[in-house]
Amino acid sequence: MEKNMLLRKLPSVHNMASLLAEMDKFNAFSDRQLTLAAQEAVEGLRKDIQSNAFVLSGTSIEAEVINRATSYLQSRGRLRKVINAAGVVIHTNLGRSRLGKRAIKAVIESANNYTNLEYDIEKGTRGSRHSHPEDLIKKLTGAEAAMVVNNNAAAVYLILSALAKGRETIVSRGELVEIGGSFRISSIMEESGAVLREVGTTNKTHLFDYEQTLNENTSMIMKVHTSNFKITGFTKSVPSSELVKLSREQNVILYEDLGSGALFPFSSKNIGDEVPVKDVIQSGVDIVSFSGDKLLGGPQAGIIAGKKEYISILKKHQLARVLRIDKLSLAALCGTLESYLYKEFDDIPTVKDIIASEDELKLRAEQFIVKMNPALKPYIIPGHSQVGGGTMPDVKLPSFLIAFCHPDGAEYTAESLRKNDIPVIVRIQEDVCLIDLRTVNEEEETVIINALKNM
């Protein structure tokens, strides 16, 4: 009897679609999309009722259909905005770095118009997409030449394929890192056709290890920045300056994969010990590569900079087309690089968030907490943020965190926030939820406050 009663209460697809169309949060969806969502929700609930998989409790049938339709619309093949309140600045799972206003404007302009992507306006002839970021990179790093591909793993692959295929590349064992998704430097090297020659041990590599391994078939010495882990204690590595001298004496290429690559001097703010790309170039390294979407704070990209003779070879290699960056990422990267050039660091969210001060974060937390639902019993505690993105693994950014919890527990609280119209991602620690405003902007604060009020 209960099953039949629930089935009779099911609304029609037409009525539900009309109801959804009246809701402001669905303004961006077409009538067809809303009808499909209503159909999916009604038919899904019908099947659950018939199989006894649904029991009505604390909500109406209509409200249940709306909830299911909402979930359907939010999850159908599109990226959604989420609020990162977890305090991990470069959050890989949440899309890594946010773009600044200048970069976003450049993306919109490029998406909305034809562009001079591969057209030389002065000459009226075909141009190169490499030319757009090259001058900016040269000015910011002091390199002779530069180019960009779609990510840093692609940059590594291109450099090894073009400059070391069939010949030996010497790498310290302590630098044979594994990057995200179980991709390993050694595996990328194998795919590129370069011959790996490991030297030293996991914790210690000396200059004589490189000297003893060099031979007539050596094409390159490769130094890999261990940006996603640190080895401490009884360790030894060879600085770039010593490898520069050795590579010149032996007439081999010295390539340094910087991984993240910093254009901002974070160490000047007592944050980590990352050597800026400009300093690496000035040390005499022949060629470097680094990511655009980590410490640099731009879109996904692999930036290659260094000696013109090597960059010219890379630009002409067949893989350069396979690995090339698309126009929207290129626009975002150029916009980000311009912000660096003009020293507008407030327009680079990654830099701005990393260097945010404790005093600033404490004041924001104090102002935020008075707007919260008092039933959540919020309070402020000292804590730490993370840089994230596999960068500066040993760096903790001092912060002030907002701790709170619904009577039903931290897991319930976090889940409710994730299921908000704009999902809010928080941390859970010792059965309380934590909000770190380091990675939250002012507009997002209002969204979080409203989400907490509705719990």
Side-chain angles (χ1 to χ4, degrees):
M1 288 295 293
E2 183 181 353
K3 181 189 298 186
N4 291 333
M5 180 188 70
L6 291 174
L7 289 171
R8 283 196 297 271
K9 288 185 175 181
L10 280 173
S12 70
V13 171
H14 174 75
N15 287 343
M16 286 308 306
S18 298
L19 185 59
L20 294 173
E22 294 173 1
M23 296 183 179
D24 291 341
K25 65 181 179 180
F26 297 130
N27 286 343
F29 295 94
S30 68
D31 290 343
R32 179 60 179 161
Q33 288 174 308
L34 295 177
T35 298
L36 287 174
Q39 182 178 340
E40 182 84 7
V42 171
E43 293 307 313
L45 185 52
R46 187 190 309 280
K47 290 178 182 178
D48 286 350
I49 292 171
Q50 290 172 335
S51 63
N52 298 315
F54 173 76
V55 177
L56 186 64
S57 60
T59 187
S60 67
I61 286 288
E62 187 177 88
E64 177 65 23
V65 173
I66 291 174
N67 288 337
R68 292 185 177 216
T70 300
S71 296
Y72 176 86
L73 289 168
Q74 290 176 337
S75 63
R76 303 306 284 183
R78 66 186 181 96
L79 292 174
R80 294 177 60 193
K81 173 182 176 178
V82 303
I83 294 175
N84 173 15
V88 181
V89 179
I90 309 170
H91 201 308
T92 298
N93 301 128
L94 303 183
R96 289 190 177 166
S97 296
R98 292 184 292 177
L99 298 178
K101 292 179 181 178
R102 184 187 297 276
I104 292 169
K105 182 180 178 181
V107 171
I108 293 172
E109 187 171 289
S110 295
N112 206 33
N113 299 281
Y114 290 108
T115 69
N116 61 330
L117 178 66
E118 292 186 355
Y119 183 75
D120 189 320
I121 294 174
E122 292 294 324
K123 298 178 181 178
T125 59
R126 183 185 180 92
S128 169
R129 71 181 62 201
H130 298 307
S131 64
H132 303 293
E134 184 169 26
D135 282 344
L136 289 167
I137 296 167
K138 286 163 59 177
K139 288 176 181 176
L140 290 166
T141 67
E144 292 179 6
M147 66 178 292
V148 179
V149 291
N150 56 19
N151 63 30
N152 191 48
V156 175
Y157 184 65
L158 173 60
I159 291 166
L160 292 171
S161 297
L163 303 177
K165 188 172 184 177
R167 300 186 64 193
E168 294 181 1
T169 296
I170 301 174
V171 186
S172 166
R173 283 189 177 89
E175 297 173 3
L176 288 173
V177 301
E178 179 177 302
I179 56 179
S182 300
F183 294 99
R184 297 174 175 175
I185 289 293
S186 56
S187 299
I188 293 174
M189 187 173 291
E190 183 179 350
E191 290 291 334
S192 72
V195 179
L196 170 63
R197 287 298 302 272
E198 301 176 35
V199 297
T201 63
T202 302
N203 62 318
K204 278 203 168 193
T205 301
H206 302 270
L207 183 62
F208 63 75
D209 290 315
Y210 291 95
E211 292 172 333
Q212 293 173 357
T213 308
L214 281 161
N215 61 72
E216 65 279 358
N217 196 38
T218 302
S219 173
M220 179 183 295
I221 296 173
M222 180 179 180
K223 189 168 179 62
V224 182
H225 183 46
T226 56
S227 56
N228 57 358
F229 73 97
K230 291 287 184 182
I231 298 177
T232 59
F234 192 57
T235 64
K236 167 68 179 176
S237 63
V238 182
S240 298
S241 57
E242 293 185 30
L243 291 176
V244 166
K245 183 179 178 181
L246 178 63
S247 65
R248 287 178 178 172
E249 289 174 351
Q250 299 297 321
N251 196 29
V252 297
I253 300 167
L254 176 59
Y255 161 44
E256 185 159 358
D257 171 20
L258 295 173
S260 296
L263 295 182
F264 183 87
F266 291 103
S267 59
S268 68
K269 302 287 185 179
N270 297 316
I271 299 173
D273 55 5
E274 292 290 318
V275 179
V277 177
K278 186 173 186 177
D279 293 352
V280 178
I281 293 289
Q282 288 179 343
S283 74
V285 173
D286 294 313
I287 191 166
V288 302
S289 69
F290 52 99
S291 295
D293 58 344
K294 292 185 178 179
L295 287 177
L296 192 144
Q300 177 178 295
I303 301 171
I304 305 171
K307 301 287 177 60
K308 187 174 182 178
E309 61 178 298
Y310 301 123
I311 301 295
S312 296
I313 294 171
L314 299 179
K315 287 179 179 177
K316 296 173 184 176
H317 197 276
Q318 291 297 310
L319 279 175
R321 181 175 179 85
V322 176
L323 305 174
R324 70 182 182 179
I325 189 172
D326 77 284
K327 70 172 185 178
L328 299 185
S329 296
L330 187 58
L333 178 63
C334 288
T336 305
L337 293 173
E338 285 178 0
S339 292
Y340 274 104
L341 187 64
Y342 304 138
K343 298 189 183 302
E344 296 173 352
F345 302 123
D346 278 353
D347 190 45
I348 307 170
T350 296
V351 174
K352 182 181 178 182
D353 291 348
I354 290 174
I355 67 175
S357 70
E358 288 182 77
D359 290 342
E360 174 190 345
L361 293 167
K362 185 177 182 181
L363 177 60
R364 288 183 62 195
E366 290 170 345
Q367 294 171 339
F368 185 92
I369 201 171
V370 298
K371 303 174 188 176
M372 289 181 66
N373 182 352
L376 299 175
K377 298 180 180 179
Y379 55 96
I380 298 172
I381 61 172
H384 293 92
S385 314
Q386 291 181 296
V387 176
T391 67
M392 299 189 192
D394 58 342
V395 173
K396 292 183 178 180
L397 304 172
S399 186
F400 284 90
L401 314 178
I402 299 160
F404 64 99
C405 192
H406 190 277
D408 289 335
E411 291 291 346
Y412 169 84
T413 310
E415 182 181 359
S416 298
L417 289 170
R418 286 200 312 274
K419 292 183 177 179
N420 190 52
D421 288 342
I422 300 176
V424 179
I425 312 302
V426 298
R427 274 190 265 170
I428 295 178
Q429 182 177 304
E430 297 179 358
D431 203 34
V432 295
C433 288
L434 300 174
I435 288 176
D436 189 338
L437 295 178
R438 183 184 293 274
T439 49
V440 177
N441 61 37
E442 291 183 9
E443 176 187 324
E444 292 170 334
E445 285 188 28
T446 303
V447 175
I448 299 173
I449 292 295
N450 290 334
L452 293 173
K453 285 179 179 177
N454 294 329
M455 291 183 62

